[in-house]
Amino acid sequence: MKLKLAIQKSGRLNEDSMRLLKECGIDIGNGVNKLKAEATNFPIELFFFRDDDIPQYVEDGVADIGFVGENVVYEKAKKVEVAYELGFGKCRLSFAVKKGETFTGPSFLAGKKIATSYPILVQQYLNEHSIQAEIHEISGSVEIAPGIGLADVVCDLVSSGSTLFMNGLVEAETILHSQAVLIKHKNFSTEAQQILERLLFRIESVKKAKKNKYVLLNAPNDQLEKIIALLPGMKSPTVLPLASPGWSSVHTVIAESDFWDMIEQLKNAGAEGILVIPIEKMIL
Ligand code: PRP
Ligand code: ZN
């Protein structure tokens, strides 16, 4: 059997979804611009849909799993399970107003016309703040609504902010933070589950690798103990003698998050010739 994976046809998540599969060593054959494509070296089949439709397709079992924004998962409220946070496609769902207008808080929205593709999430926000407003549901190009007099305010996804900027809108208030997640159909066969676990194992290795760097450095032997004490490493660092006497080469893995602090400390402790190398996969 093949696991059926739904991904966004075009848009913000498409490229990152395809890149992730590639980094997982999954080669996708031709047909990328059509509805369907097949992996040549992994039991997976790809379906390309509008992101907003993916939860429905996964609920119905047309696809077994999907890569989609949490924003769409919450809005559509379909019976699917969020199985994994993919870590890309970070964005937020925000109200935006016309440039020059000042958003004074939730009460600013009272009596206004709000254009959005997220009527459920927007209505929830309005209810929480006991605000009455008119929601105008639009499925795409929401950001042009104020300019053509269709709405006073929009509530739309913001990632880089360039869509808002180009349409003369200013982000006012965020109602939800979102990222891409892997969703799965409620009923899964053992075989499908096994394929999913193989896929998740690869995704996890790629994700871990991105968060870490491989570091090589030269250390004078009399400082070796001090330098090793600074290093985390997967188990412990590798230490090899250098050709020049009194020096060693130390290899280890450092988390991206404390990278610069660590490098400064290592330099202060006498480390030289520090090389930092990206890691492609990391299997623990
Ligand atoms: C969202 C949103 C904007 C764009 C914002 O679209 O509707 O068009 O991303 O990104 P920016 O802040 O980087 O400019 P989405 O990816 O959901 O595609 P869709 O509207 O076609 O579903
Ligand atoms: Zn969308």
Side-chain angles (χ1 to χ4, degrees), residues 8 12 51-52 143 156-163:
Q8 191 186 29
R12 270 176 329 106
D51 63 339
D52 311 61
E143 59 282 348
D156 198 11
L157 279 196
V158 186
S159 169
S160 64
S162 68
T163 303

Side-chain angles (χ1 to χ4, degrees), residues 8 12 50-52 71-72 117-118 139 157:
Q8 191 186 29
R12 270 176 329 106
R50 281 197 55 209
D51 63 339
D52 311 61
N71 49 296
V72 174
S117 309
Y118 299 86
S139 60
L157 279 196

Side-chain angles (χ1 to χ4, degrees), residues 5-278:
L5 163 64
I7 72 166
Q8 191 186 29
K9 196 173 169 179
S10 62
R12 270 176 329 106
L13 299 179
N14 171 273
E15 232 173 80
D16 285 340
S17 301
M18 294 304 285
R19 184 180 311 122
L20 178 62
L21 292 173
K22 198 174 171 204
E23 287 168 342
C24 287
I26 297 172
D27 295 330
I28 307 300
N30 289 333
V32 171
N33 293 317
K34 307 216 183 73
L35 183 67
K36 223 172 109 173
E38 246 174 65
T40 52
N41 58 356
F42 195 82
I44 205 164
E45 215 174 357
L46 259 58
F47 289 84
F48 301 98
F49 295 131
R50 281 197 55 209
D51 63 339
D52 311 61
D53 297 333
I54 291 176
Q56 181 71 62
Y57 284 127
V58 172
E59 179 182 295
D60 294 345
V62 172
D64 303 303
I65 58 172
F67 291 173
V68 72
E70 280 174 298
N71 49 296
V72 174
V73 179
Y74 294 140
E75 173 67 26
K76 303 295 172 186
K78 298 294 172 198
K79 293 188 194 69
V80 296
E81 199 181 301
V82 173
Y84 192 79
E85 293 184 345
L86 293 165
F88 61 80
K90 297 231 164 93
C91 62
R92 50 205 187 269
L93 183 61
S94 296
F95 285 106
V97 298
K98 287 182 216 157
K99 204 171 125 198
E101 276 181 89
T102 320
F103 183 83
T104 47
S107 62
F108 176 88
L109 300 168
K112 296 256 159 57
K113 243 194 207 177
I114 306 168
T116 188
S117 309
Y118 299 86
I120 295 181
L121 295 172
V122 170
Q123 190 59 58
Q124 264 171 22
Y125 176 90
L126 295 175
N127 292 348
E128 275 163 28
H129 294 87
S130 311
I131 303 285
Q132 305 273 354
E134 191 188 326
I135 297 175
H136 205 86
E137 183 177 353
I138 311 182
S139 60
S141 304
V142 168
E143 59 282 348
I144 65 169
I148 56 172
L150 206 61
D152 309 303
V153 180
V154 303
C155 188
D156 198 11
L157 279 196
V158 186
S159 169
S160 64
S162 68
T163 303
L164 290 185
F165 181 79
M166 286 188 306
N167 288 281
L169 299 171
V170 181
E171 191 173 0
E173 164 120 318
T174 296
I175 65 174
L176 178 82
H177 286 272
S178 175
Q179 65 167 308
V181 290
L182 187 153
I183 55 170
K184 66 183 266 206
H185 183 62
K186 284 278 182 187
N187 300 314
F188 239 59
S189 69
T190 319
E191 208 185 346
Q193 184 61 32
Q194 277 166 357
I195 303 173
L196 176 60
E197 270 157 31
R198 283 177 63 200
L199 177 66
L200 284 174
F201 176 79
R202 294 189 186 194
I203 294 176
E204 183 71 14
S205 306
V206 169
K207 232 173 109 176
K208 269 199 209 109
K210 280 193 184 153
K211 284 194 203 139
N212 291 278
K213 299 278 178 229
Y214 193 78
V215 175
L216 297 98
L217 57 87
N218 294 334
N221 286 345
D222 54 1
Q223 294 296 314
L224 208 49
E225 223 174 299
K226 203 166 140 197
I227 287 173
I228 289 172
L230 289 170
L231 298 173
M234 288 229 269
K235 275 211 171 67
S236 57
T238 306
V239 181
L240 301 166
L242 283 188
S244 21
W247 283 81
S248 297
S249 165
V250 180
H251 303 195
T252 196
V253 172
I254 291 180
E256 178 90 77
S257 53
D258 31 68
F259 176 73
W260 286 111
D261 275 351
M262 182 70 70
I263 295 296
E264 280 163 17
Q265 289 181 49
L266 289 169
K267 273 184 70 184
N268 292 339
E272 288 181 11
I274 304 175
L275 295 182
V276 181
I277 299 166

